[in-house]
Amino acid sequence: MVFHHDSSDPLALVIAPPPNETAEERAAREEREAEAQRISDSIDAEINADRIARKKREGVVKILLLGQSESGKSTTLKNFRMKYAHDKWIEERASWRTVIQLNLVRAINIILDALQLEMSGVPLEDEVQDPNLRPLVFTSEHQRLKLRLGPLRGVESDLKRLLGSATNPQSRPSSRAGTPSPTDSPKPSQEFSVRSWNLLSVLQAPRQDRSKRTGKQDGVDPNDITEVIASCRDDMVALWKDDLVREVLKRRRIKIDDSASFFLSQLSRLSNREYQPTDEDILRARLRTVDIQEHELRMGDGDGRENWIIYDVGGSRTQRAAWLPYFDQVNAVIFLAPISCFDEKLIEDPRVNRLEDSFILWKAVCSSKLLTNTTLIMFLNKIDLLEKKIANGILIKQHLPSYGDRPNETGAVVKYLRQKFKDTVKQCSPEPRACHVYPTSVTDPKTTAVTLLSVRDGILREHLKRANFV
């Protein structure tokens, strides 16, 4: 074929085939040109896909859940999903059984660890022994409880394997045959954590895959775990109800957290072989994730429904460095401040009061220029636990001197803290803006559903205003 080109066109000169081109050279050139065209088409497709995705993201409402560790962020996310992604929630419900079993077994093993230390005469750490403290007299029944509940140590390890641990430095080996070796020094279990994608792979497995879970996974049979837990039911109940064991926990200052206490109070139901999780069980279940949780929801009614993406970015001090990238183009921040923790210290730094830490975090959020146009929503969370502490006679002003002589009542405390957090917004925000504050107990799905409806409507209104639709 003779190639004709316009000598006045510089591009034609560049792309013209070389003179006296052989058939082999021509074939090689055409192959290179075809590959170059393929790459060009691929790049064009990527650009087009990115353009479509960017256009789609423009209509997405981005919500950030912030707050310190154990403030209730994950539980708030569960409430959102239970109400606005109900079909997926129903599909995942049965899979939460593994997480709940782990919560229950870990609580029992923490109690057994404390009992072992006390029965072995190990002195309290960093505490001066009170000479007037009466010695505890243990019976042979306590020794038998320890032996009969020994298999739960292996069950805890197996449950962690099923969930896929991210960091678990003190994971015990599977040993259902009995108690740990005498050389082991029983200590309270370290916080167990998983990668969020690992958890999602467990919860969101297709139903056909779920049916396979009747068999072994990673060498662990979930049916065996359920059987061991069921066989230990009476002994677990006896351990938890034993007055001497309660005294051991008090002396060793071992706090059984609220979710664990809930599961221990439901032992007979949860250890049943046919047990299926309820919504309340799932809301109470604790499982620390070490990375970002992201969920997409469809919010609104009828044709006006919008896509929301909610991010739970973690609250421990080591995770806060990951917050900043998620501040970009966020529509709303839901900040959780657990107000029941006015008398507690941070696990990461026992020198810092937890309520004071919430004030510090809130000030940083309000001061961020990246969040200048962001809707601020605050949940004064764990109001139910605040009520219990006040009912037990704990004085707010002893732990929060600025509270002064105000009434030691829940309503007065909520009013005071609401105003303090709102004052921070006024003082620290780059521009004047509103802040919506809600007293909450996010483990109560009924009252939380009402709060979420108000939050949803408020965020949608703000989003429409910014889009110039209102």
Side-chain angles (χ1 to χ4, degrees):
M1 181 180 78
V2 179
F3 184 84
H4 298 284
H5 62 272
D6 185 353
S7 60
S8 64
D9 182 357
L11 180 59
L13 290 172
V14 171
I15 65 174
N20 304 319
E21 182 181 45
T22 66
E24 292 79 4
E25 290 172 338
R26 177 183 175 185
R29 174 177 58 79
E30 291 178 344
E31 184 177 347
R32 290 193 302 271
E33 290 174 351
E35 176 63 15
Q37 186 63 48
R38 187 192 65 78
I39 294 173
S40 177
D41 291 343
S42 176
I43 293 172
D44 289 343
E46 287 182 13
I47 292 173
N48 188 51
D50 184 64
R51 185 184 298 112
I52 293 172
R54 190 164 57 250
K55 187 175 181 180
K56 183 179 178 182
R57 284 196 299 270
E58 289 175 358
V60 171
V61 178
K62 184 177 175 182
I63 311 296
L64 211 52
L65 293 175
L66 298 180
Q68 64 186 214
S69 181
E70 299 183 29
S71 59
K73 297 186 302 301
S74 296
T75 308
T76 300
L77 180 57
K78 290 176 190 174
N79 274 284
F80 267 112
R81 298 190 66 239
M82 182 169 63
K83 184 168 179 60
Y84 297 109
H86 196 64
D87 290 343
K88 284 188 177 180
W89 177 266
I90 294 298
E91 285 186 6
E92 295 173 13
R93 186 185 281 159
S95 298
W96 277 95
R97 179 175 179 170
T98 302
V99 178
I100 293 165
Q101 287 177 330
L102 178 61
N103 277 230
L104 177 62
V105 170
R106 274 178 58 80
I108 291 293
N109 283 337
I110 287 173
I111 297 172
L112 289 173
D113 288 341
L115 186 61
Q116 173 68 23
L117 290 170
E118 192 70 28
M119 293 178 73
S120 301
V122 178
L124 301 175
E125 293 183 7
D126 303 323
E127 293 288 338
V128 178
Q129 292 286 348
D130 183 354
N132 297 320
L133 206 62
R134 67 177 181 85
L136 299 178
V137 180
F138 297 99
T139 66
S140 58
E141 180 59 23
H142 292 104
Q143 188 63 43
R144 283 195 290 271
L145 281 175
K146 278 176 51 189
L147 290 171
R148 290 197 293 261
L149 292 173
L152 293 182
R153 298 188 183 276
V155 167
E156 179 181 339
S157 178
D158 288 345
L159 285 166
K160 289 175 179 177
R161 288 171 63 189
L162 286 178
L163 291 168
S165 64
T167 54
N168 188 29
Q170 292 193 2
S171 178
R172 301 182 182 92
S174 178
S175 55
R176 292 203 186 93
T179 58
S181 85
T183 58
D184 290 341
S185 176
K187 298 178 182 178
S189 301
Q190 298 294 309
E191 180 77 6
F192 172 71
S193 57
V194 299
R195 303 284 179 190
S196 62
W197 61 267
N198 244 347
L199 176 61
L200 287 174
S201 69
V202 173
L203 299 179
Q204 297 181 353
R207 292 191 176 186
Q208 59 267 30
D209 292 345
R210 243 176 248 165
S211 63
K212 299 175 184 177
R213 295 188 180 186
T214 54
K216 290 188 177 182
Q217 305 164 51
D218 297 325
V220 179
D221 191 334
N223 292 327
D224 287 349
I225 289 174
T226 299
E227 187 61 35
V228 173
I229 292 174
S231 65
C232 291
R233 177 173 55 188
D234 293 341
D235 291 325
M236 288 191 292
V237 171
L239 182 77
W240 177 236
K241 291 184 175 180
D242 190 283
D243 291 336
L244 205 60
V245 170
R246 298 289 182 99
E247 181 64 25
V248 168
L249 296 177
K250 183 178 178 181
R251 287 192 181 194
R252 300 227 160 234
R253 298 187 179 182
I254 294 175
K255 181 186 176 185
I256 303 296
D257 63 49
D258 301 295
S259 62
S261 295
F262 170 79
F263 291 129
L264 288 168
S265 69
Q266 303 285 320
L267 261 167
S268 295
R269 179 173 64 86
L270 269 60
S271 57
N272 190 290
R273 290 175 176 84
E274 305 303 320
Y275 163 69
Q276 292 297 323
T278 65
D279 288 343
E280 185 177 11
D281 294 342
I282 298 171
L283 289 176
R284 297 272 186 173
R286 277 183 48 79
L287 186 62
R288 181 172 177 259
T289 53
V290 295
D291 50 7
I292 312 302
Q293 289 194 67
E294 174 184 335
H295 287 278
E296 187 169 342
L297 305 176
R298 289 282 290 166
M299 307 294 282
D301 301 307
D303 295 334
R305 299 178 73 190
E306 292 184 324
N307 288 329
W308 282 26
I309 297 180
I310 302 184
Y311 299 93
D312 175 3
V313 294
S316 68
R317 285 194 161 186
T318 56
Q319 292 177 279
R320 293 175 190 176
W323 288 9
L324 193 58
Y326 289 85
F327 283 12
D328 186 36
Q329 296 182 344
V330 66
N331 297 92
V333 166
I334 299 177
F335 187 96
L336 286 101
I339 59 176
S340 65
C341 63
F342 63 88
D343 60 343
E344 301 173 19
K345 303 291 185 181
L346 283 179
I347 295 175
E348 304 99 312
D349 188 350
R351 299 169 299 177
V352 180
N353 178 278
R354 287 191 63 193
L355 185 57
E356 181 61 30
D357 183 62
S358 284
F359 278 118
I360 294 170
L361 284 176
W362 180 241
K363 183 177 180 180
V365 169
C366 294
S367 303
S368 174
K369 291 183 179 180
L370 288 174
L371 299 174
T372 299
N373 298 316
T374 300
T375 301
L376 295 182
I377 298 164
M378 168 164 280
F379 285 4
L380 299 178
N381 196 33
K382 303 193 177 183
I383 192 173
D384 55 328
L385 302 183
L386 174 66
E387 289 176 345
K388 288 181 182 179
K389 287 186 176 181
I390 291 176
N392 289 333
I394 298 178
L395 298 177
I396 304 294
K397 65 180 180 180
Q398 289 184 352
H399 304 275
L400 188 64
S402 63
Y403 189 69
D405 293 326
R406 293 174 178 83
N408 204 63
E409 300 170 355
T410 302
V413 175
V414 170
K415 181 180 178 181
Y416 172 75
L417 293 177
R418 181 201 297 265
Q419 192 58 51
K420 276 187 70 72
F421 281 111
K422 283 199 165 190
D423 288 344
T424 302
V425 177
K426 293 179 182 178
Q427 296 163 9
C428 300
S429 291
E431 296 179 7
R433 57 177 160 179
C435 172
H436 310 281
V437 182
Y438 300 89
T440 59
S441 173
V442 293
T443 54
D444 181 349
K446 291 184 179 179
T447 58
T448 304
V450 176
T451 300
L452 294 188
L453 182 61
S454 178
V455 168
R456 184 203 70 173
D457 291 344
I459 292 176
L460 287 174
R461 280 195 299 270
E462 289 296 322
H463 184 57
L464 289 173
K465 286 179 183 178
R466 292 197 180 100
N468 295 320
F469 289 131
V470 175

